[in-house]
Amino acid sequence: MRPRIVLCFPHEERHRQAIAAAAPWGNVVSVPQEQIAEELMEADIFCGHAKVPVDWDAVVKRGRLVWIQSSAAGMDHCLVPSVIASNIVVTSASGVLADQVAEHTVALMTAWLRSLPTFFWAQQREEFIRRPTRDLHRSRILIVGFGGVGRRLAQVLHVFKTHIWATDLFPVDKPAYVEKLCPPESLEEFLPEADITILALPLNDKTRGMFGQDQFARMKPGSLFVNVARGPIVRTDALIEALQKGPIAGAVLDVTDPEPLPPGHPLWKLSNVIITPHVGGQSATRADDITRLICENLRRWHTGQPLINLVSDKTAGFPFRDGSTPLWIDVCDSIPADF
Ligand SMILES: NC(=O)c1ccc[n+]([C@@H]2O[C@H](COP(=O)([O-])OP(=O)(O)OC[C@H]3O[C@@H](n4cnc5c(N)ncnc54)[C@H](O)[C@@H]3O)[C@@H](O)[C@H]2O)c1
Ligand SMILES: O=C(O)[C@H](O)COP(=O)(O)O
């Protein structure tokens, strides 16, 4: 029987056809989110992002699923203990959304620094009011997590004449325009120096709640805090306290904990915060890029070549920059879009 390859991410029929052409040995079907929980029981390969509750324990117990190719960079949607403990191969979309997340992050940061919400508010009232603005240029920016998103952000922010420091579990391949790239232990030393701190790291057991009272207390007075990664990396109560009492001057957040924020949540009410509803990954080019990754990895799977973005340590939940797997951010320019 041909392996059943289940696609569940926003795409068009032409994307399904391209994937079917790349994997003529499989039976490629597109399924909506509402059916994903039951479809996963009959899938051999799953390509997508499950956004509805899935009984992963049952999927593992069924024993049919052999590979998850995530269409999201963050793997927290499927890396539950039973999947981690199983033999299911996992590959991520690390770096595939880097262009748009970088654009969105710069939009959020510059909107906050240039007081755009205040001016837009005044525009609604047909008022000409001048207020102080702040600069991106010459600021020191700390990027926590120097993977696909972090690296693309550094490329973009460097053009704004900023000073970029970064921390990463694999502090290698430092671009010349990045002043410092250090292991996570340097975070404590870097936080008091940064005008802007940006989170671009995965959510896992080690990073959950990583930013709490101690970390906010160390941040530079008047600095800006940015989270485009995952809400639960931050302790929301500590963030709110830091926003109300200092030392930080504000925050821009594409992700929150909880998500979505319920009506009346204190974060909604803070005037020094800009919140967007987890839209950093959105892009008209996203389905094409995800399809390119899926097609290439299906070819590699069938011919036994190394998979791109293989998550070798499922507890960590991201592909390591240690030479053990090709990373999308490094190889994407050589991957064709033959559809
Ligand atoms: N807002 C959105 O729509 C959106 C879109 C894409 C990704 N994301 C989130 O952003 C994260 C990063 O995306 P990516 O494509 O860059 O993924 P990635 O896997 O390419 O990069 C993650 C990087 O974080 C590093 N890291 C892990 N633990 C760390 C730690 N304790 N300290 C410092 N660095 C650490 C890793 O070494 C890796 O280089 C994803 O895991 C996802 O949760 C959000
Ligand atoms: O981790 C990611 O890639 C993003 O958070 C994707 O989220 P989305 O699939 O809901 O856009």
Side-chain angles (χ1 to χ4, degrees):
M1 199 170 63
R2 293 197 303 161
R4 187 170 167 84
I5 303 172
V6 170
L7 311 181
C8 186
F9 62 97
H11 64 275
E12 298 166 19
E13 171 58 14
R14 68 188 174 93
H15 297 109
R16 194 202 62 78
Q17 284 175 11
I19 292 165
W25 42 269
N27 175 22
V28 179
V29 294
S30 300
V31 306
Q33 280 290 339
E34 311 82 71
Q35 286 170 23
I36 194 62
E38 61 191 91
E39 285 286 346
L40 274 168
M41 299 297 283
E42 303 307 322
D44 297 290
I45 296 172
F46 168 52
C47 304
H49 182 175
K51 297 188 181 200
V52 295
V54 166
D55 186 348
W56 286 105
D57 294 356
V59 173
V60 171
K61 204 166 165 198
R62 170 91 169 92
R64 183 163 173 178
L65 190 70
V66 290
W67 175 23
I68 298 171
Q69 168 61 68
S70 172
S71 63
M75 300 300 298
D76 40 302
H77 64 102
C78 63
L79 286 182
V80 300
S82 57
V83 175
I84 291 173
S86 75
N87 289 328
I88 296 173
V89 173
V90 170
T91 47
S92 84
S94 287
V96 181
L97 297 80
D99 285 337
Q100 55 265 38
V101 179
E103 283 177 29
H104 194 74
T105 309
V106 172
L108 282 170
M109 287 161 55
T110 49
W112 189 91
L113 292 167
R114 305 304 299 177
S115 300
L116 294 195
T118 304
F119 299 137
F120 187 65
W121 175 85
Q123 180 190 333
Q124 307 306 301
R125 287 157 181 73
E126 301 184 11
E127 283 177 25
F128 180 88
I129 58 161
R130 300 185 91 195
R131 288 285 183 278
T133 60
R134 289 175 48 165
D135 299 324
L136 193 53
H137 65 273
R138 298 194 195 166
S139 59
R140 180 172 292 125
I141 299 180
L142 170 59
I143 302 176
V144 185
F146 206 57
V149 167
R151 283 172 187 269
R152 180 67 187 130
L153 256 172
Q155 266 181 347
V156 173
L157 290 172
H158 147 72
V159 181
F160 283 95
K161 301 182 183 170
T162 56
H163 301 277
I164 299 162
W165 294 4
T167 60
D168 196 275
L169 274 176
F170 297 89
V172 293
D173 304 331
K174 183 181 85 57
Y177 48 80
V178 171
E179 293 178 2
K180 298 184 185 189
L181 172 57
C182 297
E185 296 72 45
S186 298
L187 184 68
E188 286 217 350
E189 178 197 327
F190 285 1
L191 281 175
E193 308 290 328
D195 300 298
I196 303 173
T197 298
I198 305 175
L199 304 196
L201 71 171
L203 174 65
N204 57 31
D205 284 349
K206 290 210 171 98
T207 64
R208 187 178 294 276
M210 183 175 155
F211 275 74
Q213 235 175 3
D214 290 353
Q215 288 66 34
F216 286 114
R218 292 190 70 78
M219 286 185 196
K220 187 172 178 174
S223 63
L224 174 66
F225 179 73
V226 182
N227 190 2
V228 291
R230 284 290 185 270
I233 298 172
V234 177
R235 292 184 193 274
T236 302
D237 50 354
L239 170 63
I240 291 171
E241 194 183 334
L243 285 162
Q244 287 171 330
K245 299 182 185 161
I248 60 175
V252 292
L253 310 167
D254 187 45
V255 291
T256 57
D257 181 27
E259 187 176 299
L261 288 175
H265 192 281
L267 264 184
W268 286 128
K269 301 188 193 310
L270 295 175
S271 59
N272 52 351
V273 179
I274 301 178
I275 300 170
T276 52
H278 201 146
V279 289
Q282 288 186 6
S283 165
T285 61
R286 179 170 173 175
D288 283 4
D289 290 338
I290 294 287
T291 300
R292 278 202 299 142
L293 170 63
I294 292 172
C295 289
E296 179 65 16
N297 262 352
L298 283 166
R299 286 189 209 101
R300 286 169 179 248
W301 174 268
H302 195 58
T303 53
Q305 291 171 269
L307 295 174
I308 296 170
N309 284 350
L310 177 71
V311 178
S312 54
D313 177 350
K314 287 189 269 182
T315 315
F318 64 93
F320 291 172
R321 180 172 284 275
D322 63 354
S324 61
T325 181
L327 296 172
W328 176 259
I329 193 85
D330 296 336
V331 301
C332 61
D333 289 342
S334 64
I335 308 295
D338 44 4
F339 54 92

